[in-house]
Amino acid sequence: MKKKIYILRVVVWCVLVSFACTSCSDWLDVKPKTEEEAESMFSTEEGFKSALAGAYIALCEPDLYGKELTFGMLGVLGQEWSGKEGPVSVSQSAYNNFLYYRYEEVVTKPIVEAVWKKMYKTIANVNTLIEYTDLKRDVLTGNNYEIIKGEAIALRAFIHFDLLRLYADCNFADSVSAIPYVKSSKPAITPQSSTSEVVRLLVEDLDDALELLEKDPIFTGQDVSGVDNGYLVNRNFHLNYYAVQGLKARIYAYAGKMQEAYNAAKIVIEAQENSGVCPWVNKNDVNATNTALRDRTFSSEHLFALNTTKLIDNIKGYFKETLSPLKSRIAPKDAADCLFVTGDYRGLFFESDNGAENVLSKFWQMDNQIVGGETVRPKRDRMPVLRISEMYYIAAEYLKAVDAPEALNMLNIVREYRGLVEKLIDVNPIAIQNEILKEYQREFLGEGQLFYYHKRLGTKNIATANAKYTLPMPDDEIDLGQRN
């Protein structure tokens, strides 16, 4: 029975009751336990769309990017919470243990294991989808074969990459085993690859995805507002062409290949500058007089975000409806050494709630508002996964050693669009890297990226904690899969 927990079975598929690209609601679980059921699911184009969207939905669960891989476990491991503003609440016993990297405790181990199991289960589902795009290509119309298959291959890489960053040491020696890179849905034990081999497979998948996604309307500029019942709109809720380039930049940066990371990041930056891809957030959307309508996550800048419709439930007890919210370790404002200086738009999103001050309100989910007699829906239900700003930070990190003034320019561009008028002028590479760290602390608060930043740079101590960056694989995976 233990084998049923493996990364090796084709299991739960989430299927639309009525497909709507702009929302991830109204889904049911369907379990195609046989090849006949899978054949039925993929006999129509709607089945393919449903299966792909189901994979995105799986990533929105609280065990994954709906909580633990963003503001929850990863936020604690990155030492984003506690410190000057108060410790992680004692009621969150798991998080108190994560604060000191105690992965094997009875309250932390189930969280760590759930991430592994659910990520690989999603990979198995995605692999089935990829296989059927060729088996049933004739049911896919227009450019949907290229777009659906391209997204699915990119999703496989995206999930594997975060598994690599979590469960493998940041060691690129070929002799060091990392994680299994699973490219088949068939039940079979996939051997572990080294970290460098996983990176090679990641880039291989992303290059294949990019070739297919040259049909993506975000890349071609095609007007798809009335095409295919709106399936191809809102591309930032999908791993679109430029999100894949951004992911490629992130992967190369993690691998220490900063020239390649810069090349990929520059493609995205130039697309923003020349084609208006992922434009900087409008100041009026951030500073809206009606605070309920403020764009709290700077949604126009998302290369890729998850449409997390249950985010309002996920943040309860952490940033809402609690006397002990997670509080920023670094005082967000009104302190000598604070996170946000006066004028920084990001500092707006700390408010009072339930008697607590300086509560992060980035993920607060506001209700619809009536404006001019019309109903306006706030920009909510978004969990940022890849931002345009990260491309500028990656570019700056590469340029600091080869063109320090241009590295500062990259950082100053982001700062300008965050409301900061003072320019950075210190061209010392160490000073530039320190500023990049500060930007990661500000920009990605609650999004899980700070832990990964410290891991790839090999930070020995985050805040006052001795960091342990490699999470343990599930016991059953080690025993049955004979993992190292």
Side-chain angles (χ1 to χ4, degrees), residues 272-273 279-284 286-287 298 301 341-346 388-389 392-393 407-424 435 439 442-443:
Q272 184 201 49
E273 293 175 343
W280 296 109
V281 68
N282 188 303
K283 176 182 177 180
N284 294 328
V286 177
N287 285 321
F298 304 169
E301 301 176 12
V341 300
T342 302
D344 195 322
Y345 299 154
R346 296 166 293 193
I388 187 69
S389 53
Y392 285 81
Y393 300 151
L408 287 181
N409 180 52
M410 291 288 106
L411 294 179
N412 284 327
I413 288 172
V414 180
R415 286 167 57 87
E416 177 183 352
Y417 286 102
R418 295 297 176 260
L420 299 173
V421 296
E422 183 179 356
K423 302 290 187 182
L424 300 174
E435 291 296 335
E439 283 299 303
R442 297 170 183 139
E443 187 79 356

Side-chain angles (χ1 to χ4, degrees), residues 301-337:
E301 301 176 12
H302 298 171
L303 289 171
F304 173 48
L306 289 167
N307 189 191
T308 312
T309 58
K310 293 185 178 180
L311 190 56
I312 189 170
D313 297 320
N314 298 350
I315 67 172
K316 288 178 181 177
Y318 301 94
F319 305 113
K320 270 291 189 184
E321 299 183 16
T322 176
L323 296 173
S324 303
L326 294 177
K327 303 294 285 291
S328 174
R329 180 182 64 82
I330 305 173
K333 50 189 176 181
D334 303 325
D337 184 21

Side-chain angles (χ1 to χ4, degrees), residues 5-18:
I5 68 168
Y6 256 81
I7 61 182
L8 315 166
R9 287 180 63 95
V10 179
V11 282
V12 178
W13 283 97
C14 294
V15 180
L16 272 176
V17 174
S18 58

